[in-house]
Amino acid sequence: MKPMTDACLTFKDLTLGYNSHPAVHHLSGSISSGSLTAVIGANGSGKSTLMKGIVGVLKPMAGICTVTPGKRVAYLPQQSELDRSFPARVVDLVSLGLWPRRGLLGRYSTEDRDAVSKALMAVGLEGFEKRAIDTLSGGQLQRALFARVLVQDADLILLDEPFNAVDAKTVGDLIQLIQRWHGESRTVLVVAHDLELVRAHFPHTLLLARRPVAWGETREVLRPENLLKARRFDEAWHDDAPWCEPDDGHGHAHSHAHGHDHAHSHTEGHGGHHHHDHGEVHDHPDHESGPRAA
Amino acid sequence: MYEFLIAPFVEFGFMQRALAGSLMLALGACPVGVFLMLRRMSLTGDAMAHAILPGAAAGFLLYGLQIVPMTIGGLIAGVIVALGAGAVSRFTVQREDASMAAFYLISLALGVLIVSLRGSSVDLMHVLFGTVLALNDDALTLIALISGLTLLTLAIFWRALVAECLDPLFLRSVSRLGTPVHFIFLGLVVLNLVGGFQALGTLLSVGLMMLPAAAARFWTARVEPMCVLAFGFGAISCIAGLLVSYHASLPSGPAIILSSGAIYLASILFGTRGVFNTKLRRHRHRTA
């Protein structure tokens, strides 16, 4: 990982979740500008929650998540709330991406219209401008949503499972777009499931199992022992799980590059039943508690 | 022909006022109805129309059949219900349909209770069904203000309103306007219903809002023409309804709404996206 100075995104002890149950637990670290990172993990491991936390749709339960000021964020959710029955054309949908530039009242200029048609061309949807969105196939809609991300011209791009239910050719095209963004020094975070794809195209990987299991170079992260550790993760919430008490002031130390277990020293007192890494091997029982090793 | 179509409006002042009032009403209410329909909140208009009853009734109880107190009362009741239901759906697990139903039922019961304090059911009929043929200057001014304000607000927030309907999560990711726009829109709904109840009554004003919008859906696949078309249908309904009411001595409010209803039924059948064009007629198909 590059030094903190050119971080695009910083997590400090970030915990996100629902109804007081954590879905992302004590995540610390940073994403450097211009990096291309895959976020992987089982269903329910907190990948989408992390995306929502970054974009600000979900407020953290603890800790903070900071996008470096001045960086524009584009977010393509997994479960879009897009209303496909709404009477809009493809060009209307893609033009929504002009919002960060034009806002509520700014007029769309000729340049803006050019940007929209260029984006449509880049995703292979030229000639689709006037098509109603309810006539698009799943893959075509995904291409249109990528075009909207293109138009947003963001510095930090968050894509939540963009390859779901998309054919091989479209996946290839979308990967090319992601590579292009990476080439333009934009910071890209992609939630993905296909490990072969991750190995082939993503330099960095964050492996989540509610807590970060491993984070760093894809080659290192995707080692069998990490994947096994992630697979043992207990997806269920336990209503009798003990409360996760705040630390005694020295913060949670995670060396994200090595994927240490983060075991709070005091949780050993809970009879070994530790809700968020229930069933895990504690390979670092005496966890270091110094400053974060980034 | 002139005798039948034009003369009533030329010869009688009350007909001119009724026409001006109902046309201005349609100008604001019909586009609002289009968005209600597109947001699948068609029945929300109906619920809100019930919800403004206790406010209007309280004004009626205190000041008699006067436009200003009844309007202010209706506005207050409507805003309370809209804010309450909107807030419950935005900030809790409950969906808007359930919270809206809960709030409007409470409000309606309260309204009926207040009206019954005064006694006769003739009064209730006044509040519920309005009198478009007895619009005074105050009422006309009020309706003009409301439709002007509605058009201005729609023009300003158009892009946000479309984005909020089309892809609310996207709007939240790029702007904080999502929630305010939702409430501003609910405010417009209340405002237009309140504006309509003097002319058409609380129950029928929602008809002028929803029926032209529902009819316009069968003719176009874009929002802007849909709003224009809805106003066109609304205007035709007002003119036709007033003429029918004049010539056949029928109550004007229901006549206007039934005219919209006729347009709606015709649109289902004959609209470019209606039954005949999409289902019954066998289209030839192209090669690609």
Side-chain angles (χ1 to χ4, degrees), chain A residues 55 57 75 77 79-83 85-89 93 96-97 99-100 102-106 108 133 148 152, chain B residues 35 38 40 155-157 159-160 162-163 165-175 177 217 221-223 226:
Chain A
V55 83
V57 175
Y75 168 52
Q79 272 170 346
S80 173
E81 288 177 11
L82 182 76
D83 178 3
S85 69
F86 190 85
R89 301 164 303 171
L93 177 64
L96 284 183
W99 188 290
R102 295 288 170 252
L104 181 62
L105 293 170
Y108 293 159
I133 53 170
R148 185 172 74 185
Q152 275 183 269
Chain B
F35 279 99
L38 292 177
R40 295 168 208 196
I156 291 174
F157 290 99
R159 197 177 284 168
V162 168
C165 297
L166 178 56
D167 196 346
L169 189 55
F170 172 80
L171 185 63
R172 274 165 75 192
S173 78
V174 294
S175 157
L177 272 176
R217 188 75 171 99
R222 296 196 51 204
V223 192
M226 207 177 285

Side-chain angles (χ1 to χ4, degrees), chain B residues 101-123:
Chain B
F103 274 86
Y104 104 76
L105 285 168
I106 295 169
S107 192
L108 179 62
L110 198 63
V112 174
L113 196 76
I114 293 174
V115 171
S116 76
L117 292 179
R118 184 74 175 242
S120 82
S121 62
V122 177
D123 295 339

